[in-house]
Amino acid sequence: MPAVTHSAIDATDATDAIVVGAGPTGLLLAGDLAAAGVRTVLLERRSQESNLTRAFAVHARTLEVLDARGLAERLLSTGYFVKDVRLFRGAVIDLGRLPTRFPGVLMTPQYHVEGLLEERAATVGAELRRGARCTGLRQDADGVSVDVTGDDGTTGTLRARYVVGTDGVRSTVRQAIGMPFPGRAVLDSVMLADVRLDASPGEVPAFRGGPAGFSFVVPFGDGWFRVIAWRRGTALPTEAPVDMEELKDVTRAVFGTDFGIRDARWTSRFHSDERQVPAYRDGRVLLAGDAAHVHSPAGGLGMNAGLQDAANLGWKLAAVLRGDAEEALLDSYHAERHPVGEQVLKVSGAIVRAVLAESPVVRGLRGTAGAALRFGPLAGFAGGRVAMTVSGLGIAYPAPPGSHPLVGRRAPDLPLAEEGPGRPVRLYEALRAGEFVRVVPRGFGLDAGPGPGLRVTRADAGRTMLLVRPDGYVGEAEEVPLGWVDGGVVDPRPRATVSPGPGPGPRDVAAPR
């Protein structure tokens, strides 16, 4: 496990990167940075690991991100995998036909995700310091000084070239740089409980809303169920205890039964806001996950958005810190991920507003939309687009005019024609090296010219040559003419490139998107 410190930080302590907050986003980011050779310290105010959880849904794109780190299969064994999501009566999002190795959504407690990511971060050399609370910071032209208070009351300062705040909705890092967090409250006093049930719901996951409020029931696969419930008009503070009878009442009101809720092992309340910072970067300080954007729990998108923030930022920050890229590359983090955060707010907000609609007209339209998604002519088209959006597979980043259509899009997990022990047989296995991966057509020859990154050969008949970024998105693409394959000698560097900033130098990668 990572080194754990419970005392003050020495005033002379210095490192390359500090990540503040050891939730899923911070753990993935710290692991990526350390794996890339960056000295990384992860500060966590909690002295001990938590077995409590709010997030539980791991969508397909996030499973691909974890697959590129060798973690997906292990995580799948911890939960319950489902292939459709029911938003409201009659509305079903079919995830089973998604173009991925993971056509569905994994229901598993957040602590399983954190456990795997912490183990990986330790293995690659990230240093986790528990009981170390960030109380403020100051940045200058050369770096950032972070004030830290240990859980024993002692204080000190830790110095780094860059700091990333992944410390949640009440982010100290965000407040320290004076970054606004505009938005509004959506739901007050949402109840959470992990419980046993006498009878399992017929739907997985089960979600109902009505005049009384809503209730959501999902299995964790180990006999425990998460129940999320909200009663319309409730305005209790977050510290108010959860009344199990109230939880049962709301569940009965919308489902017609409370499924025999009993034996709660954990309960909590939270307020749900819709907020997003205007900028994900302020000089040498960056924000990710809930420190940058928060939204309603509808759709289970929050943890996924944060993990994908980390995957986008990690390779860019590592390239800058190693001297392989100019600092301007970091601006592409905001340019690519801020619009995704906006989309998540819109999607989750639309879902929760549809579920809670009181107007008979809106409820009628909601029913019509549900029928269309499930049975009507829009089932394939609209349902497919919604599934791609909710799963994260449909996320694409901007590309300049004239680029190949694949530039900025998620790379599919192509089969590879590699031979020999330890050679990857899929693209996402090749991405586990943490490098750019150049995918060339069969017969093209791996040594036919210069170019950055690990070089692999497609096993299919496709003639598209790709340069895939470490986060699994296409940075460059080009269609190779038939005459260039099977022995042709050409310069294999794709012409359709994206260069949002100055090139990174020695690795000959023009800051590909």
Side-chain angles (χ1 to χ4, degrees), residues 91-281:
V92 179
I93 298 179
D94 181 7
L95 303 175
R97 292 180 290 180
L98 288 170
T100 175
R101 294 185 72 236
F102 310 104
V105 56
L106 175 66
M107 303 296 177
T108 189
Q110 177 178 321
Y111 52 76
H112 286 314
V113 179
E114 292 181 350
L116 285 176
L117 291 175
E118 182 173 337
E119 179 183 333
R120 171 183 178 254
T123 300
V124 296
E127 181 183 357
L128 172 61
R129 301 188 180 186
R130 289 196 177 275
R133 181 187 298 271
C134 168
T135 57
L137 60 82
R138 297 162 304 285
Q139 61 174 314
D140 52 48
D142 299 319
V144 187
S145 298
V146 178
D147 298 325
V148 181
T149 299
D151 61 0
D152 60 357
T154 56
T155 62
T157 301
L158 180 60
R159 180 78 173 171
R161 293 169 62 189
Y162 287 91
V163 169
V164 184
T166 59
D167 48 342
V169 62
R170 298 179 180 84
S171 170
T172 299
V173 173
R174 186 187 64 241
Q175 295 174 33
I177 61 175
M179 184 67 69
F181 202 32
R184 59 178 176 173
V186 179
L187 298 171
D188 286 330
S189 198
V190 181
M191 296 178 286
L192 305 178
D194 287 353
V195 299
R196 301 282 192 184
L197 301 182
D198 290 334
S200 299
E203 305 168 4
V204 180
F207 191 21
R208 288 287 187 275
F214 70 76
S215 183
F216 184 97
V217 183
V218 60
F220 284 153
D222 58 358
W224 290 96
F225 291 76
R226 163 63 53 80
V227 179
I228 303 176
W230 174 77
R231 183 189 292 278
R232 195 182 301 275
T234 302
L236 294 174
T238 55
E239 60 270 17
V242 172
D243 184 338
M244 294 304 295
E245 290 304 315
E246 182 184 14
L247 188 77
K248 294 178 182 179
D249 287 345
V250 176
T251 303
R252 278 195 300 268
V254 296
F255 281 105
T257 176
D258 62 14
F259 306 108
I261 292 173
R262 58 180 173 83
D263 301 337
R265 65 177 178 180
W266 173 69
T267 64
S268 181
R269 289 184 187 268
F270 76 97
H271 297 304
S272 177
D273 289 358
E274 291 178 344
R275 300 183 184 277
Q276 186 180 28
V277 295
Y280 283 14
R281 179 190 178 198

Side-chain angles (χ1 to χ4, degrees), residues 438 440 444-445 448-451 455 465 478 484 490-495:
R438 186 173 295 278
V440 301
F444 192 71
R455 300 172 68 81
M465 183 160 51
E478 182 180 25
W484 288 14
V490 298
D491 181 353
R493 289 175 293 184
R495 293 187 293 265

Side-chain angles (χ1 to χ4, degrees), residues 18-90:
I18 297 173
V19 181
V20 181
T25 301
L27 287 165
L28 179 64
L29 178 61
D32 283 1
L33 292 172
V38 173
R39 294 179 303 159
T40 305
V41 172
L42 179 58
L43 301 179
E44 171 54 47
R45 61 180 178 80
R46 295 173 299 177
S47 297
Q48 298 179 340
E49 298 176 36
S50 173
N51 63 351
L52 307 181
T53 182
R54 287 184 178 174
F56 52 83
V58 184
H59 283 288
R61 179 57 192 157
T62 302
L63 287 169
E64 290 185 341
V65 168
L66 296 174
D67 187 26
R69 290 152 180 82
L71 301 176
E73 297 299 332
R74 291 177 61 191
L75 187 64
L76 285 169
S77 68
T78 67
Y80 196 101
F81 194 75
V82 299
K83 296 199 172 185
D84 58 51
V85 174
R86 300 172 185 269
L87 300 181
F88 36 78
R89 190 175 299 275

Side-chain angles (χ1 to χ4, degrees), residues 400-416:
S403 296
H404 189 285
L406 293 179
V407 173
R409 296 186 176 276
R410 156 194 165 267
D413 191 15
L414 297 171
L416 303 179

